[in-house]
Amino acid sequence: MVRVQKWKVWGSVVEVDVTEAAALPEAAALIADVIDEAESVCDIHRGDAEIHAVNLSQGAPVKVSRRMSALLRSALWVARMTDGAVNPLISEPSDDSVPTVHPEPSFLDVQIDDDVVFAPWGASFDITDTAKADTVGRAAELVAGELECGAAVRIDDVIATAGHCPAGGWQIPVPGDDEIELANGTAMATAFALSDEPSAATDADAVPEWEAVTVIADDALWAYGAAATALMRGGGAIRWIEQHELRARLVDRSGRVYTTGNW
């Protein structure tokens, strides 16, 4: 029987499901440690977070911890995979009346050599969302490996599974729909549009605009990145998802549901 524990941390709802009841307390403790490690280095709302040193470096190389380096690499990987749709850099409002001295910073200009980060002048990172997705996958694999049980770990709307699955498989609720069986070792993420957030699509024919996009992928980081990207791609989202051979369910602003053929 699957045992479940939920709590809230890092502004998110965290849930762990394990296939061995006796493993639940230790699983929750392992996950809490993984989350605390990630939050302590990249939560921009914490004054002692390591990411502030990166944001203040302004073109100078800065040495970071191994975990900070890994989370930055994950964020940059998602940015490349999504052609910048999921961007780790914060866009600052600009005053067109003032001539710029430095070019607009790009994630493509960021380099990481071992644990030394080289970011262009003006670059400011916020990698919270990709860090949470990365942490989900890392936590699930850690619990499954350390405790030799099946594990499903969720932070908000990103879920990853690892280890052996329970009898009947992992039955995971899809937001706004019934449960779906999530294959062991895969992940699912749902991205929601903000009520005042328009689609990024500019083409007049790029409809419908999406209310929610759920994507199933091989890992939590890619599931999150793909869902967040599809949400912004308007009518081209389904083709983009199918080009990447992902499983997805999309809901438009009128409540109509679209699914990929492999859903």
Side-chain angles (χ1 to χ4, degrees):
M1 177 182 293
V2 174
R3 295 294 301 276
V4 181
Q5 184 170 329
K6 297 181 182 181
W7 67 99
K8 190 170 183 180
V9 68
W10 201 359
S12 301
V13 175
V14 180
E15 177 181 328
V16 54
D17 301 21
V18 292
T19 56
E20 306 293 337
L24 184 59
E26 191 171 353
L30 284 172
I31 294 168
D33 287 344
V34 172
I35 292 175
D36 181 67
E37 180 186 30
E39 181 186 11
S40 67
V41 299
C42 71
D43 184 355
I44 61 173
H45 300 295
R46 286 182 52 158
D48 61 345
E50 193 175 358
I51 197 166
H52 295 302
V54 179
N55 288 342
L56 292 172
S57 64
Q58 295 302 299
V62 57
K63 185 173 177 58
V64 298
S65 67
R66 186 61 54 88
R67 190 68 191 128
M68 182 79 261
S69 173
L71 290 172
L72 283 170
R73 290 176 191 275
S74 292
L76 292 171
W77 178 84
V78 173
R80 290 191 296 271
M81 289 292 291
T82 62
D83 294 325
V86 181
N87 194 339
L89 299 183
I90 302 171
S91 296
E92 299 288 349
S94 60
D95 184 352
D96 294 336
S97 64
V98 180
T100 58
V101 177
H102 299 278
E104 184 74 17
S106 167
F107 69 89
L108 295 172
D109 299 322
V110 179
Q111 300 178 38
I112 304 177
D113 184 6
D114 289 331
D115 295 328
V116 177
V117 179
F118 301 85
W121 189 95
S124 184
F125 291 87
D126 182 354
I127 61 171
T128 302
D129 291 333
T130 54
K132 288 181 179 180
D134 181 281
T135 300
V136 167
R138 184 166 182 261
E141 292 176 0
L142 180 64
V143 169
E146 291 284 332
L147 305 182
E148 299 182 348
C149 65
V153 177
R154 174 172 73 92
I155 297 181
D156 287 336
D157 295 295
V158 183
I159 300 169
T161 63
H164 57 267
C165 62
W170 292 111
Q171 301 300 319
I172 305 298
V174 178
D177 195 23
D178 297 326
E179 293 181 339
I180 189 171
E181 182 174 347
L182 191 60
N184 207 44
T186 63
M188 183 176 77
T190 300
F192 297 94
L194 299 177
S195 58
D196 59 347
E197 178 183 329
S199 169
T202 57
D203 191 302
D205 297 325
V207 292
E209 295 179 347
W210 305 115
E211 185 71 26
V213 178
T214 300
V215 171
I216 295 175
D218 289 338
D219 63 80
L221 189 62
W222 182 218
Y224 163 74
T229 300
L231 192 70
M232 297 184 287
R233 291 188 70 91
I238 295 178
R239 178 180 296 180
W240 184 85
I241 288 170
E242 290 178 338
Q243 286 175 343
H244 287 85
E245 300 181 347
L246 298 168
R247 298 170 61 190
R249 176 182 183 271
L250 305 91
V251 183
D252 71 15
R253 300 279 186 167
S254 299
R256 291 171 295 196
V257 176
Y258 303 76
T259 59
T260 55
N262 56 0
W263 178 258

